[in-house]
Amino acid sequence: MQQLHLSDIEQRVYQAVTTLEARGQVPFPEAIAEEVGLPPEQLTTPLHVLGEKNLLHREDSPLEGLDFGPRWCSQHLG
């Protein structure tokens, strides 16, 4: 299996998403930013890169009329 090389920020963002999911919290960008300790605007690039590497995927709000923004979920590899 190919080894993925992640930057420090990418590792921190991925860990934040999986931590939030493990707690049963929804990984919205604001929650991820709080977990990582960075402003939400600094997460755009790492989230995009993690999506390209198939480690995270974006899901839009499933409830009609209640859009809290996208959530980022880890890909469950197995």
Side-chain angles (χ1 to χ4, degrees), residues 3-17:
Q3 182 78 1
L4 290 176
H5 296 286
L6 301 177
S7 69
D8 177 60
I9 185 72
E10 291 165 359
Q11 289 176 17
R12 290 171 51 205
V13 168
Y14 181 77
Q15 185 62 46
V17 170

Side-chain angles (χ1 to χ4, degrees), residues 54-74:
N54 291 321
L55 293 173
L56 298 181
H57 67 277
R58 177 186 165 141
E59 294 181 0
D60 292 317
S61 181
L63 301 174
E64 187 73 32
L66 290 177
D67 187 7
F68 296 109
R71 57 186 178 212
W72 291 85
C73 303
S74 62

Side-chain angles (χ1 to χ4, degrees), residues 21-61:
E21 289 177 329
R23 287 189 209 139
Q25 295 175 282
V26 179
F28 291 118
E30 295 79 19
I32 298 167
E34 185 177 322
E35 189 71 27
V36 174
L38 292 173
E41 56 272 5
Q42 289 187 7
L43 298 181
T44 304
T45 300
L47 287 170
H48 180 73
V49 170
L50 289 166
E52 287 180 342
K53 292 181 179 182
N54 291 321
L55 293 173
L56 298 181
H57 67 277
R58 177 186 165 141
E59 294 181 0
D60 292 317
S61 181

